Amino acid sequence: MKPKVFITRELFGESVDRISQYYEVDVWDRYHQPPYEVLLRKAREADALVSLLTDRIDCNLLRNSPRLRMVAQYAVGFDNIDVDCATRLGVYVTNTPGVLTEATAELTWALILAVSRRIVESDVFVRWGEWYRSGTAWHPKMMLGFELMGKVLGVVGLGRIGRRVAEIGARGFGMKIIYYDVVRNYEAEKEIGAEFRELRELLREADVVTIHVPLTPQTRYLIDESALRLMKKTAILINTARGAVVDTGALVKALREGWIAGAGLDVFEEEPLSPNHPLTALKNLVLVPHIGSATYEARRAMADAVADNLIAFYEGRVPPNLVNRDVVNLRSPGFSK
Ligand code: GLV
Ligand code: GLV
């Protein structure tokens, strides 16, 4: 009998076909995520789960799923999963790193440019007739933004995505790159001239601050009120990582009171963001709905990576994107043991 996998949303078909050669597949085919109670019930009968970042895979669920051997996350971030608990229970956890690096780095640049050149504000200006009503085709002071060439890009978290954003900044826009991370990246320092800074120094110095750290207890509210107060009045903040890395209340204050010049956000503490949220009333801000990896290329490759991880585990191999390496000491990969 094939092991059972519950997939919490529709992925690209070819990958599901590949998975179903090894697993009995149960796909949640609705637009909305399965409620927690459904997730609990499905997980209890499953040998493996394919989860999204919106699925809460907590210790309660893991403990109540005696057959569960693997959680294959369809995302690079996995802060929705209690990984320590999974490790203790011998459950393998995988993610999809690498394949969405380009998509997320490119979206980061779309936000940097949209904020620095006021693209969304300008679009509204044209579309809603304000330009036409102004009766002026061109004015020396209309919609002024700022240039990136020669400015300082501050990268918070120089992993795969941060590294790629830095590279585009250095090679494409002639920016000076400074970065903060818990580990030094000597390769990036050599290749693109990135200079290490402590976080507080980076915040003081950067014209663009862009966040690329995972959400962990250590990075929650890393960018809080005191951090925002260190930034230049002319600087902008970009977040395509996780909403809770930034204290949203403090950010609203910073934007409203002009401590910083603007922001571009792809991620939020509460998703979906309510249209009544104070953020939506601010002008110096571009908001997009968590679409960092939303390209055809990335989403297909993510589904492929999920299939690769599931199939490797089935075949008794350590999955290529195993997150909790320690689990291998507790239980071998595969369903026979
Ligand atoms: C998306 O946010 C991801 O972590 O892949
Ligand atoms: C994601 O792939 C990262 O590690 O930055």
Side-chain angles (χ1 to χ4, degrees):
M1 236 180 41
K2 286 179 180 175
K4 275 171 84 162
V5 60
F6 178 57
I7 306 181
T8 68
R9 221 68 57 79
E10 269 183 87
L11 308 179
F12 282 99
E14 310 88 87
S15 300
V16 177
D17 291 345
R18 274 180 66 217
I19 296 168
S20 50
Q21 289 169 22
Y22 302 84
Y23 290 81
E24 186 189 323
V25 172
D26 180 8
V27 179
W28 183 259
D29 58 6
R30 318 231 186 124
Y31 189 77
H32 294 101
Q33 71 199 65
Y36 184 67
E37 298 68 44
V38 173
L39 206 54
L40 271 181
R41 180 160 47 76
K42 294 285 191 180
R44 207 158 35 225
E45 296 151 17
D47 301 289
L49 273 183
V50 174
S51 56
L52 271 55
L53 53 95
T54 42
D55 298 317
R56 180 154 56 94
I57 312 296
D58 58 12
C59 210
N60 174 52
L61 178 142
L62 292 165
R63 276 208 215 94
N64 284 292
S65 309
R67 293 173 49 176
L68 196 64
R69 294 286 177 271
M70 180 175 186
V71 178
Q73 169 92 339
Y74 179 77
V76 65
F78 46 84
D79 46 277
N80 56 306
I81 303 171
D82 189 335
V83 176
D84 289 340
C85 180
T87 307
R88 286 197 300 276
L89 295 168
V91 175
Y92 280 58
V93 178
T94 61
N95 68 341
T96 63
V99 292
L100 45 70
T101 300
E102 202 58 48
T104 309
E106 289 179 10
L107 183 80
T108 302
W109 279 100
L111 288 173
I112 294 172
L113 290 165
V115 176
S116 63
R117 298 307 299 273
R118 302 167 66 178
I119 299 298
V120 176
E121 211 183 321
S122 291
D123 179 274
V124 168
F125 185 72
V126 175
R127 201 182 287 270
W128 291 16
E130 240 183 287
W131 187 33
Y132 184 77
R133 283 192 298 274
S134 79
T136 299
W138 198 90
H139 189 282
K141 292 187 177 170
M142 193 173 86
M143 286 293 167
L144 299 185
F146 65 87
E147 288 174 27
L148 300 170
M149 173 68 89
K151 298 276 164 57
V152 177
L153 178 67
V155 181
V156 179
L158 202 69
R160 282 169 291 256
I161 297 169
R163 167 74 176 77
R164 181 64 185 134
V165 168
E167 183 174 61
I168 297 171
R171 303 239 160 97
F173 292 97
M175 296 182 83
K176 172 179 173 179
I177 311 299
I178 59 177
Y179 77 98
Y180 165 75
D181 203 312
V182 287
V183 289
R184 288 284 286 267
N185 184 333
Y186 295 105
E187 180 277 335
E189 292 185 17
K190 185 157 163 287
E191 288 301 313
I192 55 175
E195 293 176 16
F196 178 83
R197 294 285 188 278
E198 290 303 335
L199 181 60
R200 296 174 70 84
E201 291 176 58
L202 177 145
L203 293 167
R204 280 199 199 97
E205 198 177 330
D207 298 296
V208 176
V209 174
T210 184
I211 301 171
H212 303 287
V213 292
L215 177 62
T216 65
Q218 290 75 37
T219 64
R220 183 173 293 273
Y221 282 16
L222 186 67
I223 306 299
D224 58 6
E225 174 160 344
S226 69
L228 290 163
R229 284 194 187 275
L230 290 175
M231 288 176 65
K232 295 184 185 176
K233 280 191 164 38
T234 50
I236 63 173
L237 177 73
I238 306 295
N239 189 4
T240 56
R242 281 293 181 273
V245 175
V246 177
D247 176 346
T248 311
L251 179 62
V252 168
K253 237 162 84 181
L255 290 166
R256 214 181 256 155
E257 297 173 11
W259 314 349
I260 66 173
L265 305 177
D266 180 41
V267 289
F268 305 89
E269 285 189 67
E270 294 282 340
E271 297 177 0
L273 186 76
S274 159
N276 300 321
H277 193 283
L279 280 175
T280 64
L282 295 164
K283 233 180 172 183
N284 44 347
L285 183 65
V286 174
L287 306 168
V288 292
H290 204 148
I291 54 170
S293 71
T295 63
Y296 290 102
E297 293 89 344
R299 291 287 160 84
R300 268 183 220 289
M302 287 160 69
D304 250 346
V306 164
D308 291 344
N309 284 316
L310 283 169
I311 294 167
F313 186 83
Y314 176 92
E315 290 178 340
R317 290 182 284 121
V318 173
N321 307 123
L322 183 62
V323 163
N324 51 347
R325 301 247 148 229
D326 291 346
V327 75
V328 177
N329 306 323
L330 238 119
R331 184 180 268 150
S332 310
F335 293 102
S336 52
K337 305 138 207 121

